[in-house]
Amino acid sequence: MDLSRLPADARQRRRSEIREFLRSRRARLSPEDLGMPGGGGRRTPGLRREEVAVLAGVGVSWYTWLEQGREINVSEDVLDAVARVLRLDIAEREHLYLLSGLNPPRARPADREVSPGLRRVIDGWLPRPAYIIDRHWNLLAVNRAARLVFGYDEDDHSCLVSFFTRARFRTAVCHWEDAAREIVGQFRADAARYPDDPEFGRLASDMCAASPAFAEIWAEHPVGSAPQGTKALHHPELGELVFEYATLPLPELPGHRLLLYTPAPGTGTEARMADVLTEEATTGRGR
């Protein structure tokens, strides 16, 4: 649907409706609903625009323009991401599509970027965590152990965003501040490898708006690279888990990386992981 062909008064009504619709859906959610720290100093209830944008993986300016009803290019992927963050039901998602000038799709397109063979690799790594990210740190494939250990769910589209905006990471990761500095340093090093990719600048700007901790560390200009290392965290059910990890490039997907985690020897991590995954498979209980 080409909104520019509508009469001026109809375009104005549509802009007003999408503005009020998205504002109302932001207002009904709290940061805690999405696993983010609550914090204070909010002038109005609900999520901020920059929080919706960064959780959906879109630019803050782009989301602001969407909410203002400006005539911008939209796609199914980005509208689905906004709908996911705002917890829209089927009817609300369809309404968002129509207000944006798109016909609602019958089914969400499948992600075909990661081959079935690679998915079998990470699933075959069980009971150890494994996942694949792209150059912008978006999560593309995650095995059951990684979902159990790190708490990734369907709302987590980026491990960078989740680390800095989800409250569970702040409480679970041991020595969070040191890990945060290491992650920002790795992200800055990645950005330098792709000087012609403007997405890194957008991501950094949006992360600074959404996370004061990221903004503070980013301003210090740390740079680093850690293809191997150790990660420790407190799991609410399994206790302390300690993993050694390795990051492997994927030549067939330039910029993508496979992260493999191995329980650190002598920590009891491997036995606890095997036990809980066996129990999950036996009882069919999801986590």
Side-chain angles (χ1 to χ4, degrees):
M1 182 190 306
D2 187 354
L3 299 181
S4 64
R5 295 179 179 273
L6 294 175
D9 58 339
R11 293 201 304 271
Q12 181 59 39
R13 287 196 301 272
R14 189 175 290 266
R15 282 196 293 268
S16 176
E17 187 169 354
I18 195 171
R19 179 172 61 250
E20 296 305 319
F21 176 69
L22 288 174
R23 284 179 177 176
S24 70
R25 274 25 182 201
R26 279 197 291 116
R28 73 182 182 182
L29 292 173
S30 68
E32 293 85 352
D33 290 332
L34 299 180
M36 301 175 65
R42 292 178 182 263
R43 291 176 295 179
T44 57
L47 298 176
R48 298 188 177 105
R49 284 175 175 170
E50 59 266 26
E51 291 169 339
V52 175
V54 75
L55 290 173
V58 301
V60 173
S61 295
W62 185 93
Y63 178 78
T64 300
W65 294 336
L66 174 69
E67 192 168 298
Q68 291 173 345
R70 297 195 191 186
E71 295 179 5
I72 57 175
N73 292 324
V74 296
S75 69
E76 294 180 2
D77 288 341
V78 294
L79 288 183
D80 280 350
V82 171
R84 170 179 49 77
V85 171
L86 294 178
R87 306 283 178 86
L88 303 186
D89 61 24
I90 294 175
E92 291 171 329
R93 175 173 171 266
E94 179 177 340
H95 187 59
L96 176 61
Y97 264 78
L98 294 173
L99 290 177
S100 303
L102 292 183
N103 291 321
R106 294 184 178 180
R108 187 172 180 176
D111 178 10
R112 300 179 181 176
E113 189 171 10
V114 176
S115 69
L118 280 175
R119 291 184 184 275
R120 285 193 292 272
V121 167
I122 67 168
D123 288 338
W125 195 248
L126 292 171
R128 295 158 292 182
Y131 54 87
I132 295 172
I133 61 174
D134 66 14
R135 71 162 70 171
H136 302 125
W137 295 50
N138 293 310
L139 291 158
L140 301 184
V142 184
N143 73 3
R144 288 192 300 120
R147 294 190 184 281
L148 171 67
V149 169
F150 304 117
Y152 292 136
D153 57 31
E154 62 181 12
D155 290 331
D156 293 290
H157 70 88
S158 163
C159 57
L160 178 70
V161 171
S162 294
F163 184 90
F164 282 96
T165 64
R166 303 294 196 189
R168 64 174 179 265
F169 281 88
R170 173 78 75 160
T171 57
V173 176
C174 300
H175 310 294
W176 186 91
E177 291 79 6
D178 293 338
R181 184 174 300 279
E182 183 177 287
I183 286 173
V184 174
Q186 292 175 34
F187 182 75
R188 186 180 288 277
D190 286 348
R193 295 187 181 96
Y194 302 98
D196 297 326
D197 187 344
E199 182 70 3
F200 284 97
R202 183 195 70 77
L203 281 169
S205 177
D206 290 354
M207 287 299 302
C208 286
S211 169
F214 182 95
E216 180 179 350
I217 299 173
W218 184 257
E220 297 173 4
H221 292 264
V223 178
S225 179
Q228 299 179 7
T230 301
K231 180 178 291 186
L233 64 155
H234 294 287
H235 190 276
E237 297 179 26
L238 305 179
E240 184 171 276
L241 302 174
V242 184
F243 295 94
E244 297 172 346
Y245 68 85
T247 305
L248 307 176
L250 298 173
E252 67 271 34
L253 295 172
H256 292 46
R257 286 165 286 183
L258 169 64
L259 284 87
L260 300 175
Y261 289 79
T262 303
T267 63
T269 300
E270 184 163 20
R272 290 195 294 275
M273 288 294 301
D275 288 345
V276 75
L277 286 170
T278 299
E279 178 188 354
E280 180 185 289
T282 302
T283 63
R285 182 162 56 106
R287 291 177 182 270

